[in-house]
Amino acid sequence: MKKSVLVHSMNMKNMLPFIEYYERNALNNSVRLVLIESNNKKKIVTKLKKLYYTHFKTCDGIISDYPTRLLERKNKISIAMGHGTAIKKFPSDEEVKNEYALKLFQAVKSADYFLTTSERQNELEFRNPLLDKDSKNQYLPLGLPKNDYYFDVAKVEQTYKLQRKQNKFSQDDFVILYAPTFRDYETSESVFDESDLKLINDLLKEQNAFMIYRPHPLGGTIDEELLVKLNLERIIPSKSLALDAYQSLCISDALISDYSSICIEYLPLNKPIISFIFDEKEYCQKRGLEFDFEDENIGPGIVVKEKDNFTSVLTSLLRGDFDNTYWTERRNRCLETHYTYPDGNSSERIWKLILKSLEE
């Protein structure tokens, strides 16, 4: 009889390399996959399916990159992992105080394994005294499936060419992706006002460059209504483009971010990164950080802490100042810090772990 493995995610694209490995190696002969993508936009059928597997049905194995009570419903193996790399503190102290969230976090700690990208991350992700006291997790730095694609040079190059063409960027355009994370607390107004955005737009136009603004789904740092109203030629809201996160990173020549793990995803491409952390002190106090942006072996990006310095650093980026040997080697050192296995074979390692457990 076939064994069953449940794959859970809020965004199943994160698990595609894992699913593709299953299909490519004909694992369907011995294993049946059950896929549950439980974001809020899914239909009632998906929600009922999740309820069924949460309360009535068990699988031989389960793997999830989001907290879920499904992790408590397994016969042989359960695997939890994050959908990113710990830069911000997760879970935050405030999140643990929420009773509903705490139950989800405890379900994560009930899993047999918690997967990360590195030994460093083993000490940071889902670490909290309240959770660790009853933890059953064995931490393993096998990597995350969602990162596998970035190590596939041919796939990255193919995506670069195809998506540039489809989204009307030429090969000569310098494309910057600005992808800030959300703030889960009340913040002041947009970091950039109308005059700032117009100034940045003019600078980009002078250098034949574009900036794609791709905020976290829960919020960002620029007033999107203002951005739409201004209709700037060179600062483009990602909603107006047909690009997912992976495609956005592949077509970009540089990344601007802050406390988002997207900068760790970007490392295999070894392209310039700007860490725009204008509210570092506030963010650290209210959310918590697990990251030293100034450490040459941890922080891969040029650090900008003041809005007034943003345009001068942006000018340096467009001039190619961060493509030199120092920054190339620094990004490589950071890659070694954040990836125990910088090879794009996370899915293979995870499947070997699952298959071994299913055979026992």
Side-chain angles (χ1 to χ4, degrees):
M1 181 180 292
K2 285 186 179 182
K3 303 293 185 181
S4 59
V5 173
L6 191 154
V7 181
H8 171 262
S9 180
M10 290 289 283
N11 182 356
M12 201 56 71
K13 285 185 178 181
N14 291 344
M15 300 301 293
L16 276 181
F18 179 80
I19 297 168
E20 289 174 357
Y21 182 91
Y22 165 86
E23 295 171 342
R24 191 166 59 248
N25 291 275
L27 297 182
N28 61 306
N29 293 326
S30 58
V31 177
R32 180 175 67 91
L33 279 192
V34 178
L35 306 181
I36 297 181
E37 184 179 34
S38 59
N39 65 42
N40 292 330
K41 296 179 181 179
K42 288 297 171 180
K43 297 180 180 179
I44 188 66
V45 174
T46 301
K47 293 180 180 179
L48 290 173
K49 183 179 181 182
K50 183 179 179 182
L51 285 172
Y52 173 66
Y53 278 94
T54 301
H55 298 289
F56 303 106
K57 179 72 174 177
T58 60
C59 286
D60 297 291
I62 177 170
I63 180 168
S64 177
D65 66 353
Y66 274 77
T68 175
R69 299 293 297 273
L70 287 164
L71 287 163
E72 300 168 338
R73 305 284 296 175
K74 56 87 185 181
N75 286 328
K76 288 185 174 291
I77 182 173
S78 53
I79 298 174
M81 56 187 169
H83 52 277
T85 303
I87 292 180
K88 68 187 82 172
K89 187 175 183 179
F90 188 82
S92 69
D93 294 336
E94 287 301 313
E95 285 173 317
V96 174
K97 294 177 183 177
N98 181 290
E99 186 176 345
Y100 174 75
L102 179 60
K103 288 181 179 179
L104 291 177
F105 301 151
Q106 288 170 333
V108 169
K109 300 305 282 187
S110 75
D112 300 313
Y113 299 96
F114 191 97
L115 305 186
T116 70
T117 59
S118 70
E119 297 289 352
R120 177 180 182 275
Q121 295 303 123
N122 285 356
E123 304 303 317
L124 299 175
E125 295 194 32
F126 258 93
R127 294 296 194 179
N128 181 288
L130 181 62
L131 299 175
D132 280 339
K133 67 183 179 69
D134 297 318
S135 175
K136 297 179 182 177
N137 296 161
Q138 178 181 347
Y139 277 72
L140 295 176
L142 303 185
L144 307 182
K146 67 177 292 188
N147 294 344
D148 283 354
Y149 283 161
Y150 298 100
F151 292 93
D152 187 336
V153 176
K155 183 177 180 64
V156 169
E157 181 65 19
Q158 181 184 39
T159 303
Y160 174 89
K161 292 179 179 177
L162 177 62
Q163 296 303 325
R164 283 229 170 186
K165 182 178 180 180
Q166 290 186 352
N167 289 277
K168 296 182 171 34
F169 293 112
S170 77
Q171 302 296 309
D172 296 325
D173 292 332
F174 193 93
V175 178
I176 303 165
L177 177 65
Y178 179 27
T181 193
F182 71 103
R183 276 73 174 157
D184 51 357
Y185 51 83
E186 289 296 322
T187 58
S188 56
E189 59 191 44
S190 172
V191 63
F192 295 123
D193 60 24
E194 182 172 335
S195 61
D196 295 324
L197 292 171
K198 288 180 176 179
L199 178 63
I200 293 169
N201 185 73
D202 290 342
L203 176 59
L204 293 168
K205 190 172 183 179
E206 288 173 9
Q207 300 296 325
N208 193 34
F210 292 87
M211 179 187 292
I212 300 171
Y213 176 60
R214 186 183 181 89
H216 189 282
L218 296 178
T221 56
I222 296 178
D223 183 341
E224 292 190 79
E225 290 185 4
L226 174 62
L227 203 54
V228 171
K229 174 187 171 185
L230 293 175
N231 193 28
L232 299 169
E233 178 187 356
R234 297 287 166 155
I235 305 178
I236 306 171
S238 63
K239 292 178 181 178
S240 66
L241 300 172
L243 294 168
D244 61 24
Y246 169 73
Q247 294 165 341
S248 298
L249 288 171
C250 284
I251 72 163
S252 67
D253 297 293
L255 171 69
I256 302 173
S257 192
D258 45 23
Y259 319 107
S260 170
S261 62
I262 199 168
C263 67
I264 307 302
E265 288 182 46
Y266 199 58
L267 275 174
L269 306 184
N270 202 341
K271 295 179 180 180
I273 298 170
I274 293 176
S275 297
F276 184 36
I277 50 175
F278 60 90
D279 58 346
E280 180 186 21
K281 185 176 180 180
E282 181 182 21
Y283 195 93
C284 191
Q285 289 174 341
K286 295 183 177 179
R287 172 75 204 206
L289 288 172
E290 307 281 9
F291 202 84
D292 183 352
F293 290 90
E294 305 285 357
D295 190 317
E296 295 183 354
N297 296 306
I298 294 176
I302 301 89
V303 178
V304 181
K305 296 189 178 185
E306 303 291 337
K307 185 185 79 169
D308 292 345
N309 296 332
F310 183 84
T311 53
S312 63
V313 175
L314 182 60
T315 300
S316 297
L317 171 69
L318 296 172
R319 199 167 52 216
D321 291 353
F322 307 128
D323 289 317
N324 56 35
T325 300
Y326 168 77
W327 282 107
T328 299
E329 292 181 352
R330 176 167 171 170
R331 291 191 292 267
N332 279 330
R333 289 199 303 275
C334 291
L335 179 72
E336 293 174 1
T337 297
H338 296 296
Y339 290 89
T340 296
Y341 300 103
D343 56 12
N345 295 322
S346 303
S347 297
E348 178 180 353
R349 284 186 288 274
I350 297 168
W351 268 114
K352 286 181 177 179
L353 175 65
I354 292 172
L355 294 174
K356 181 180 178 182
S357 296
L358 295 181
E359 290 170 0
E360 293 176 352

